Amino acid sequence: MSDFINSGWAWYVAGLVVASLAFCVFILVVASKRKVMAADNTTGHVWDEDLREMNNPLPRWWMWLFVITVVFAAIYLALYPGLGTNPGALKWSSSGQWEAEQQKAYATMAPVYAKFTAMAPEALAKDSQAMGIGERLFVNNCAQCHGSDARGSKGFPNLTDGDWLGGTGAEYIKKTVVGGRVGMMPPMAAAVGGADDVKNVAHYVLSLSGSPHNSVAAQLGKPKFGVCAACHGADGKGNQALGAPNLTDKVWLHGWGEEAIGHIVTNGKQNVMPAFEKRLSPEQIHVLAAYVWNLSQTTAVAAAK
């Protein structure tokens, strides 16, 4: 109930639950005392000339099922959360159970991870057991965005190449996994000029990587690129400290071509990688970072080679 604006909602829910149980008890009491409506024990309703609706009471076992249901509900609400913010006598919660299961899993895996903690990424990359664990961690936590082969897709970086926006090395990867990362480019259309200027800048950016482009438009866009140079550098090679990508290679995170580049210049872009500090243990992050680092090595280091 913490998502609601005040505690009144908790009282509302608790009252609704209690009222529902009370109403069930009321119905049971009324039904048990209902009298026969006619001397012949019928309701007076007749269909097809001779089909009469009888007024027989429910079987006793059926009535007891209703009673047991109400009693069970009362006991359940006393033990478990269900009455607004009342945690119940057992203090159980789904988040608490999840945390307990996580701690149990960490304790079970602790002996396995113990030998990996002091190992450098290069050493871990040569350990087939560590890389097997790292692969499973990657598939369970990273593949949803970066793909099972870690090659990414539009908007999600390829982790198997050497193109890194904010830094390089296993320590940088570990830092990113722990704290997440926010990449942001502001809309630059107003700073560049009009629509034609955006188009020209897009062609100039294409020219930096030797991609097919309109050379006349690229020359016109070169002076306008000055506003982009603050982050990407005058030569367009980017700035890892700012997370500004290198525009001289042919790695395109958000699409290639005049239209894609123009869209980014006009509208800007913001990408967010969530933090995994609370989801994975430090030991798991250490192994995962080594696995991801190894994916981008030109010379295969992994024991799986």
Side-chain angles (χ1 to χ4, degrees), residues 98 102 106 113 137-138 140-142 177-178 275-285 288:
W98 179 83
Q102 286 291 95
Y106 292 155
Y113 283 108
L137 289 171
F138 182 88
N140 291 334
N141 298 279
C142 313
V177 174
V178 169
F276 284 80
E277 183 177 20
K278 295 182 178 180
R279 182 168 180 172
L280 300 175
S281 69
E283 295 80 9
Q284 288 176 316
I285 293 175
L288 176 59

Side-chain angles (χ1 to χ4, degrees), residues 89-148:
L90 298 180
K91 309 297 182 183
W92 178 90
S93 68
S94 57
S95 60
Q97 180 178 342
W98 179 83
E99 291 174 359
E101 291 175 354
Q102 286 291 95
Q103 292 302 320
K104 182 179 179 180
Y106 292 155
T108 302
M109 293 296 294
V112 178
Y113 283 108
K115 70 175 184 177
F116 300 144
T117 303
M119 295 174 65
E122 295 81 2
L124 285 174
K126 297 177 182 178
D127 191 300
S128 59
Q129 184 184 25
M131 290 298 95
I133 293 174
E135 181 180 19
R136 298 318 305 165
L137 289 171
F138 182 88
V139 170
N140 291 334
N141 298 279
C142 313
Q144 294 86 344
C145 293
H146 295 283
S148 58

Side-chain angles (χ1 to χ4, degrees), residues 11 22-23 39 68 80 101 109 136 158 173 186 200 217 230 233 239 271 274 295:
W11 287 103
F23 181 73
I68 292 172
Y80 294 95
E101 291 175 354
M109 293 296 294
R136 298 318 305 165
N158 180 357
I173 297 172
N200 293 336
N239 186 333
N271 267 18
L295 292 174

Side-chain angles (χ1 to χ4, degrees), residues 145-146 152-158 252-255 269-272:
C145 293
H146 295 283
S153 61
K154 185 176 180 179
F156 301 100
N158 180 357
W252 304 96
L253 182 58
H254 300 292
K269 191 70 179 180
Q270 180 167 327
N271 267 18
V272 177

Side-chain angles (χ1 to χ4, degrees), residues 184-202:
M184 190 272 290
M185 173 178 167
M188 298 297 292
V192 169
D196 288 339
D197 293 314
V198 171
K199 177 180 177 180
N200 293 336
V201 166

Side-chain angles (χ1 to χ4, degrees), residues 121-122 164 167-176 240 289-290 292-294 296-297:
E122 295 81 2
W164 297 88
T168 58
E171 286 303 315
Y172 167 73
I173 297 172
K174 185 184 299 185
K175 177 182 176 182
T176 304
Q240 283 192 338
V292 174
W293 169 82
N294 189 50
S296 63
Q297 301 308 296

